[in-house]
Amino acid sequence: MDKTFAQDVISGLTSKEKKLSSKYFYDDEGSRIFREIMGMPEYYPTNCELEILTEQASNIVSATQFSKHFKIIEFGAGDGFKTFQLLEYLVSENISFDYIPIDISQEAITTLSEKLKKQLPELSIKPQVGDYFEILEKVSNHNVPSLLLFLGGNIGNYQPDEVTSLLELFNKNMNKGDKLLIGIDLKKNPNTIRTAYNDDGGITKRFNLNLLRRINSEFDGNFNIDDFDFFCSYNPFSGEVKSYLVSLKEQLVSIKKLNLEVSFQKNEMIWTELSKKYDLSEIQKVAAQSDFKVTQNFFDSREYFTDSLWEK
Ligand code: AVJ
């Protein structure tokens, strides 16, 4: 049994305003639904970042100003192919570097490594499974500069206070001159954002409800998925997309393995996710707060998303 998940479920469902963290969305089923989301026409961030890394790989690499062998360390590499365009460019230019993808999922890392070995046999890849910062410390070497990748807009899931401590942790584990390329979703027409999280096909709803299904299966709960709805809202001023599950009736749910009984009022909500959108001045601000200098922002053609290059 996953203890921190268990503890977070208990504290989240017993607090006055119920919440469950989106970091628990990604079990095998949740990861599969997230891949469906990335394939939806409404969910623009994936294509934006793909466009940036395809069209601007050489600009990004020159902006690092690395002149000798370096490392690319990717946090949350997943089993996806986000970084393929960048890696392919570097390999085709015969640039000397090691690629160190890190993920908590062994399965994801194995899939990724096998794909890359087939498609880019010349690539030097040193995959790692485990805690980001333990690994970062382990592979840190003053003589070899690093480019850290934190892509996909995952930063958007962190609360304002968590953002700064996460970025400070990155900073602390980097050497002077190392770079961080961080994917950040930008404020834009609020309708575009709302549609990306409130898709007509109900895939994002299923993504959220999967968390209840996960609690049922891991902790022997009896959530009836049909008794919950999904609601999400975008506030264009704060840039915050907030997602919730809504209890459709007054009900009592028991979660046996946690010794927990949870009562819901009709229309009571469980807050599940924050997906914050930034503007450029906020990016400057959070970078400066955690002691980074923004080197350059790389945008897609619609300027929906940025891969922002920072220097320690
Ligand atoms: C993977 C965190 C970037 O917040 O946009 C997609 C997750 N949630 N649709 C995001 C997500 C709902 C996604 N991130």
Side-chain angles (χ1 to χ4, degrees):
M1 187 163 98
D2 181 338
K3 278 215 181 105
T4 50
F5 181 31
Q7 279 159 2
D8 287 349
V9 169
I10 295 168
S11 68
L13 292 182
T14 53
S15 69
K16 189 153 167 289
E17 294 187 349
K18 295 185 171 62
K19 63 176 199 177
L20 292 169
S21 168
S22 62
K23 71 176 175 217
Y24 299 115
F25 280 175
Y26 304 89
D27 65 346
D28 288 344
E29 176 64 7
S31 304
R32 214 186 47 72
I33 305 173
F34 182 58
R35 284 198 288 277
E36 272 184 70
I37 289 178
M38 290 192 290
M40 312 189 309
E42 301 92 326
Y43 192 71
Y44 58 81
T46 313
N47 284 331
C48 294
E49 192 164 53
L50 185 66
E51 183 194 326
I52 296 168
L53 295 177
T54 309
E55 308 282 322
Q56 304 192 64
S58 78
N59 295 339
I60 295 170
V61 173
S62 344
T64 63
Q65 295 190 306
F66 292 160
S67 55
K68 51 177 176 119
H69 183 80
F70 63 94
K71 287 184 302 247
I72 295 185
I73 303 172
E74 179 167 16
F75 293 103
D79 63 358
F81 246 12
K82 272 184 292 212
T83 324
F84 184 77
Q85 306 296 331
L86 190 64
L87 300 174
E88 188 185 40
Y89 166 77
L90 289 162
V91 168
S92 74
E93 293 289 307
N94 280 314
I95 294 170
S96 166
F97 73 105
D98 296 323
Y99 175 53
I100 307 173
I102 311 176
D103 204 277
I104 41 166
S105 159
Q106 175 68 61
E107 199 188 292
I109 281 291
T110 309
T111 312
L112 176 68
S113 317
E114 278 167 10
K115 276 197 260 186
L116 283 173
K117 273 183 194 135
K118 261 196 215 114
Q119 306 211 4
L120 280 180
E122 309 93 323
L123 177 71
S124 155
I125 168 171
K126 300 178 173 166
Q128 303 278 336
V129 175
D131 179 79
Y132 292 172
F133 297 101
E134 278 171 25
I135 293 168
L136 189 55
E137 217 167 304
K138 200 175 78 185
V139 301
S140 168
N141 171 343
H142 285 270
N143 299 315
V144 182
S146 295
L147 169 63
L148 270 57
L149 304 178
F150 190 55
L151 301 177
N154 292 329
I155 186 98
N157 282 164
Y158 292 79
Q159 312 283 337
D161 54 325
E162 297 170 339
V163 168
T164 314
S165 43
L166 176 75
L167 294 173
E168 281 170 356
L169 206 53
F170 279 134
N171 192 291
K172 206 184 88 194
N173 286 284
M174 291 165 67
N175 298 312
K176 191 116 196 89
D178 283 353
K179 301 286 199 302
L180 170 64
L181 187 68
I182 178 167
I184 306 175
D185 197 13
L186 299 170
K187 289 181 177 172
K188 61 184 65 64
N189 184 330
N191 292 308
T192 306
I193 295 177
R194 190 178 50 189
T195 314
Y197 292 86
N198 219 348
D199 60 294
D200 290 335
I203 299 174
T204 310
K205 174 179 179 175
R206 201 156 26 90
F207 187 49
N208 278 257
L209 285 170
N210 178 59
L211 192 46
L212 303 183
R213 192 211 45 78
R214 181 177 178 189
I215 293 171
N216 283 349
S217 84
E218 289 185 29
F219 303 134
D220 198 6
N222 70 348
F223 278 105
N224 185 352
I225 307 301
D226 296 335
D227 290 334
F228 287 85
D229 198 358
F230 169 69
F231 170 76
C232 90
S233 72
Y234 175 57
N235 177 336
F237 299 96
S238 67
E240 292 180 331
V241 174
K242 287 187 172 183
S243 302
Y244 305 87
L245 291 162
V246 186
S247 175
L248 288 170
K249 58 179 200 186
E250 188 183 323
Q251 54 183 318
L252 195 66
V253 172
S254 64
I255 306 173
K256 275 209 191 116
K257 288 191 184 159
L258 304 182
N259 269 319
L260 192 65
E261 294 257 297
V262 189
S263 64
F264 289 89
Q265 287 172 337
K266 186 172 177 172
N267 297 324
E268 187 174 347
M269 317 231 281
I270 308 172
W271 181 25
T272 51
E273 189 176 43
L274 169 69
S275 289
K276 182 172 158 49
K277 312 307 169 193
Y278 286 81
D279 61 31
L280 296 180
S281 64
E282 287 174 298
I283 291 177
Q284 286 288 349
K285 208 172 99 190
V286 291
Q289 269 169 359
S290 44
D291 226 3
F292 284 104
K293 210 178 81 213
V294 178
T295 306
Q296 196 178 333
N297 280 301
F298 298 90
F299 303 101
D300 59 294
S301 51
R302 293 177 296 186
E303 304 202 351
Y304 279 5
F305 194 93
T306 180
D307 276 330
S308 192
L309 185 69
W310 298 0
E311 178 176 343
K312 172 167 173 169

